[in-house]
Amino acid sequence: MTDSFGTRLRRAMDERGPLCVGIDPHASLLTEWGLNDDVAGLERFSRTVVEALADRVAVFKPQAAFFERFGSRGVAVLEKTVEEARAGGALVVMDAKRGDIGSTMAAYAEAFLRKDSPLFSDALTVSPYLGYGSLSPAIALARESGAGLFVLALTSNPEGGEVQHAVRADGRNVGATMLAHLAAENTGEEPLGSFGAVVGATLGDLSSYDLDINGPLLAPGIGAQGATPADLPAVFGKVLRNVLPNVSRGVLRHGPDVGALRESAERFAAEIKAAVALV
């Protein structure tokens, strides 16, 4: 693997369409699929999603917590899910939202960004709210491994505003500060930087923010949280081509039927492509 994450992501989005499908095996979805809320159900769920979609979607985003809740056996399923997803041609963004300082942050990074780790992923979601500088070990290892990061900047949950909209002494709010840091990380990178931001698709007009960070924007909120692909142009404007919309329950609720999962993913992908074409 010699290409950077940004290069691999740009190619995957251009070839397969800009769709990220979450792998979120929470208890209610396992029940909807007729599966038990146990390791066997977890494995069946995850394998079905990967078998249905790995050869056609650009990115999978497994939510680590839904695997970790089953302990070491759940983590073993997560390792297999990552391996099979990447073998099928999809990129993997591990949604673990890790954030700490010093050697602890370095250890988190090694778990997901070291090439020989069984959980090695193309990118990792991280939290910068111990200060952007606390992410330095993850940034360094991502660069070394050709991986990427998605940094929480303007999230889709309403509670996020009390931190992300807080105004610093220089008059810039915290969310805008994170975007500025990421723009600096991606300076000069082509065709796309490897250090992205998480920016919710539910947030409405963000024209007061500079979203042009020369990196990808992971956009949760489509489907169950209320946003639609048609909302994307109003939220992201001129940077829409760099947006990676995430859909989880909107696709997953159609399982365990493989054909229905594929149809749903293809429908979302087509709607996202149509929205991008408008900008």
Side-chain angles (χ1 to χ4, degrees):
M1 186 179 67
T2 57
D3 290 336
S4 69
F5 170 66
T7 298
R8 299 196 308 279
L9 180 61
R10 176 79 280 156
R11 182 166 57 240
M13 291 169 68
D14 289 347
E15 292 177 355
R16 295 187 171 197
L19 175 64
C20 173
V21 173
I23 304 180
D24 297 359
H26 49 72
S28 62
L29 263 177
L30 295 178
T31 299
E32 287 180 30
W33 278 38
L35 301 172
N36 292 328
D37 185 22
D38 56 19
V39 173
L42 175 74
E43 185 171 19
R44 174 71 182 279
F45 179 95
S46 303
R47 179 162 290 170
T48 300
V49 174
V50 170
E51 288 179 353
L53 301 176
D55 64 344
R56 59 196 66 210
V57 300
V59 179
F60 280 126
K61 184 174 71 64
Q63 170 48 258
F66 291 120
F67 295 83
E68 291 169 344
R69 70 192 183 101
F70 293 104
S72 61
R73 293 184 300 159
V75 173
V77 175
L78 180 57
E79 291 174 0
K80 193 67 175 177
T81 300
V82 170
E83 177 188 353
E84 292 179 349
R86 298 186 76 234
L91 301 182
V92 172
V93 173
M94 182 63 68
D95 193 359
K97 299 184 180 70
R98 297 302 196 246
D100 216 302
I101 60 172
S103 59
T104 307
M105 187 68 235
Y108 280 139
E110 288 174 8
F112 299 105
L113 300 174
R114 196 185 70 235
K115 284 186 177 180
D116 61 353
S117 169
L119 285 169
F120 176 73
S121 303
D122 295 279
L124 171 68
T125 61
V126 290
S127 173
Y129 295 113
L130 288 171
Y132 184 84
S134 68
L135 300 179
S136 294
I139 291 169
L141 187 54
R143 290 191 186 280
E144 178 184 329
S145 301
L149 299 177
F150 283 99
V151 176
L152 303 180
L154 298 167
T155 57
S156 57
N157 63 306
E159 303 89 347
E162 68 183 53
V163 174
Q164 296 154 24
H165 298 163
V167 179
R168 294 160 30 107
D170 63 5
R172 186 167 59 184
N173 72 24
V174 173
T177 300
M178 298 308 157
L179 293 169
H181 281 303
L182 291 167
E185 298 289 354
N186 293 322
T187 298
E189 295 293 328
E190 295 181 357
L192 190 66
S194 297
F195 298 95
V198 178
V199 178
T202 57
L203 296 178
D205 181 9
L206 293 177
S207 59
S208 61
Y209 289 90
D210 186 0
L211 299 177
D212 189 3
I213 62 170
N214 191 35
L217 302 170
L218 179 63
I222 292 177
Q225 292 187 51
T228 70
D231 296 323
L232 294 171
V235 179
F236 294 99
K238 65 179 182 179
V239 298
L240 185 54
R241 185 169 178 266
N242 294 338
V243 173
L244 180 65
N246 177 77
V247 181
S248 295
R249 281 170 287 178
V251 171
L252 300 178
R253 65 184 178 85
H254 294 282
D257 183 88
V258 167
L261 287 168
R262 289 174 175 167
E263 288 176 10
S264 179
E266 288 168 0
R267 183 170 60 254
F268 274 109
E271 291 176 2
I272 292 167
K273 278 186 177 181
V276 172
L278 296 175
V279 175

